[in-house]
Amino acid sequence: MAAILSAQDLCYQIGHRVLIDKINLKVEPGESIALLGANGAGKTTLLRLLLGVLPATSGAIYLQDKRLTEWARRDVARRIAYVPQQHTPHFPFTVRQMVEQGRLPQQGLFRSMDADLHERVSLALEMMGIADLSERVYTQLSGGERQLVLLARALLQETPLILLDEPTNGLDYGNQLRLLERLRSIADSGRSILTITHCPEHALLAANRVWALQDGRLIADGSPQEIITPTLIHQLYHTEVSQIDSDHYRFFVPRTFVPCSTP
């Protein structure tokens, strides 16, 4: 089966500063890929290139075996959904209205709401656990709640690929775990997911593939259990950790911290 998205010798630079350096990658159907890297490594820049928001300095990006630059923007939106870190709309939409916008690439601006679309919106809200927020004004929500709304909108877009820029940012611990579980379920259904995350444990829980980015270069690509080790964490984040494996789970404990004593 052909890759949904691929890049060949992808480069991006501003002046003499190289931000993305000769990256080659492929996203296959049903993959859940976690993109790890320190602040400034180029993760968000890479996502913006893959979306076609930034023009590559050199190299090529292919969406379903056709150059990304040859697709109309609406056609790209029918194939790739994007969930940014932050989003502020220009109008005080309700949560339901925000989620309904996920169907604009498929249905256009002027198609009226029908029973089928109403049911799909309700299902997306339920999947994200925010059905009770449907009539709330989006701009009055917390940052974590807004993130769940954007995820519901991406689900409704029904694209074969979803790109997410730190989707757990602003979510409490329980919602983080529930979100990771839903992302795994989405990938198991055949859709592909590429997620920027700063938490290696999240990649171990929700991804079946990991890309490690350092100074604009992909330095590792493989399964989470093979890739995410204390050596990689030290290389990416300059932090010494110890690895703990328990059953099918892996955790990391910082070596430089002394736990607080019990009073």
Side-chain angles (χ1 to χ4, degrees), residues 101-122:
Q101 293 172 18
R103 295 305 297 173
L104 290 178
Q106 284 80 7
Q107 299 185 183
L109 185 61
F110 300 106
R111 181 171 176 177
S112 60
M113 170 75 73
D114 56 23
D116 179 64
L117 178 54
H118 185 86
E119 184 176 347
R120 290 187 183 193
V121 172
S122 297

Side-chain angles (χ1 to χ4, degrees), residues 77-242:
R78 288 172 173 169
R79 291 160 177 83
I80 305 176
Y82 174 54
V83 180
Q85 288 188 49
Q86 297 179 346
H87 174 262
T88 302
H90 298 292
F91 301 99
F93 295 111
T94 66
V95 167
R96 177 171 284 276
Q97 288 170 333
M98 283 292 298
V99 175
E100 287 171 1
Q101 293 172 18
R103 295 305 297 173
L104 290 178
Q106 284 80 7
Q107 299 185 183
L109 185 61
F110 300 106
R111 181 171 176 177
S112 60
M113 170 75 73
D114 56 23
D116 179 64
L117 178 54
H118 185 86
E119 184 176 347
R120 290 187 183 193
V121 172
S122 297
L123 180 60
L125 290 169
E126 289 174 7
M127 286 186 66
M128 287 297 109
I130 53 173
D132 59 323
L133 303 178
S134 63
E135 301 307 318
R136 290 273 301 278
V137 177
Y138 174 79
T139 53
Q140 296 176 0
L141 302 179
S142 69
E145 289 170 333
R146 291 189 191 188
Q147 195 72 358
L148 293 173
V149 173
L150 295 180
L151 285 161
R153 186 176 68 175
L155 286 179
L156 196 71
Q157 207 166 325
E158 295 183 345
T159 56
L161 174 60
I162 304 176
L163 305 185
L164 307 105
D165 194 349
E166 298 186 48
T168 59
N169 189 28
L171 297 181
D172 62 47
Y173 183 70
N175 274 324
Q176 287 183 23
L177 296 181
R178 283 186 284 273
L179 172 61
L180 294 174
E181 184 179 10
R182 286 167 188 138
L183 292 180
R184 285 190 60 173
S185 177
I186 292 168
D188 289 342
S189 72
R191 299 168 74 179
S192 300
I193 295 173
L194 172 56
T195 307
I196 290 177
T197 179
H198 281 296
C199 184
E201 286 87 355
H202 286 181
L204 286 160
L205 283 172
N208 54 33
R209 187 175 176 189
V210 170
W211 293 340
L213 191 67
Q214 184 177 47
D215 297 327
R217 298 180 181 179
L218 279 181
I219 62 169
D221 178 359
S223 71
Q225 292 292 331
E226 295 173 342
I227 296 297
I228 302 177
T229 63
T231 299
L232 178 73
I233 291 174
H234 181 264
Q235 184 175 358
L236 291 180
Y237 304 112
H238 308 291
T239 300
E240 296 282 352
V241 297
S242 297

